[in-house]
Amino acid sequence: EIRDYLKEFLNAGPYRCDTMTDSQHNDHSILETAHYTNSYCNIVLETHFDADQSGGTFLTEKTFKAIKHGQPFVIVGPAGSLAALRSLGYRTFDRHIDNSYDLITDNTQRWQRVVETIQAIHSQDMYKWSIRCWPDVEHNQRLFVASKQDRLNKLLTLLQTL
């Protein structure tokens, strides 16, 4: 039963994926590069899964770290997270990942689809899969480092009209 597995998992903790201190974990300029260089895909566990039932999205540095470090990703977060990234010009690997989970507003159903998506990715030759994703990875990295002046100017104009 799943409750038994969960109890076993929790009792075996605490788990550590690095040797950083709590202070270092909160310093976003420090990065454990092995988390990005030794993997083909990033499963981004965003801060919120349902954005406090607001129907909104909530993207954090977790998503943008995957982009910065050149990884295809699946976002475990609120519905519309990928749509929000696309609206900023980012590519979300739609030709290589079944991203239909991003459209599902029911949290349980979205979670189930995310798990199916991750399983489908994992069932492939990960190296070949990552190579197919590379054009989108490169596009995202170029966009990430590009000037954000236009977006900031739009925001400033909007704020001035309030």
Side-chain angles (χ1 to χ4, degrees):
E1 173 152 345
I2 190 137
R3 287 193 171 117
D4 294 331
Y5 289 122
L6 180 59
K7 189 182 291 185
E8 181 182 332
F9 176 80
L10 293 174
N11 287 337
Y15 297 96
R16 302 286 303 204
C17 61
D18 54 46
T19 58
M20 290 193 285
T21 66
D22 288 342
S23 177
Q24 290 170 319
H25 279 133
N26 289 318
D27 181 346
H28 298 299
S29 68
I30 300 173
L31 187 72
E32 181 63 47
T33 57
H35 293 283
Y36 298 94
T37 58
N38 293 335
S39 60
Y40 291 111
C41 182
N42 193 311
I43 310 303
V44 178
L45 301 177
E46 266 301 355
T47 302
H48 295 285
F49 189 68
D50 70 355
D52 300 326
Q53 301 174 357
S54 70
T57 59
F58 191 82
L59 298 173
T60 68
E61 84 288 347
K62 297 170 192 78
T63 295
F64 292 98
K65 282 182 178 180
I67 292 169
K68 177 183 178 187
H69 294 283
Q71 291 183 311
F73 51 84
V74 173
I75 297 180
V76 182
S81 295
L82 296 176
L85 280 174
R86 286 186 208 105
S87 74
L88 297 173
Y90 289 99
R91 294 182 187 168
T92 57
F93 314 98
D94 297 324
R95 292 177 301 182
H96 312 291
I97 298 175
D98 175 5
N99 284 324
S100 60
Y101 68 87
D102 193 54
L103 303 172
I104 301 172
T105 56
D106 178 271
N107 290 333
T108 301
Q109 291 175 8
R110 187 171 64 260
W111 170 255
Q112 290 169 340
R113 183 68 57 83
V114 165
V115 170
E116 291 168 4
T117 297
I118 293 167
Q119 289 171 334
I121 293 168
H122 187 257
S123 71
Q124 301 176 53
D125 178 310
M126 294 298 296
Y127 175 76
K128 290 179 182 176
W129 177 83
S130 68
I131 295 300
R132 290 192 304 272
C133 292
W134 194 246
D136 291 345
V137 166
E138 287 181 316
H139 168 85
N140 288 346
Q141 286 187 311
R142 282 192 302 273
L143 183 59
F144 182 80
V145 299
S147 171
K148 310 298 186 277
Q149 183 174 353
D150 288 342
R151 286 181 21 208
L152 291 172
N153 285 338
K154 287 179 188 176
L155 176 61
L156 180 59
T157 300
L158 176 66
L159 291 173
Q160 290 173 336
T161 61
L162 297 178

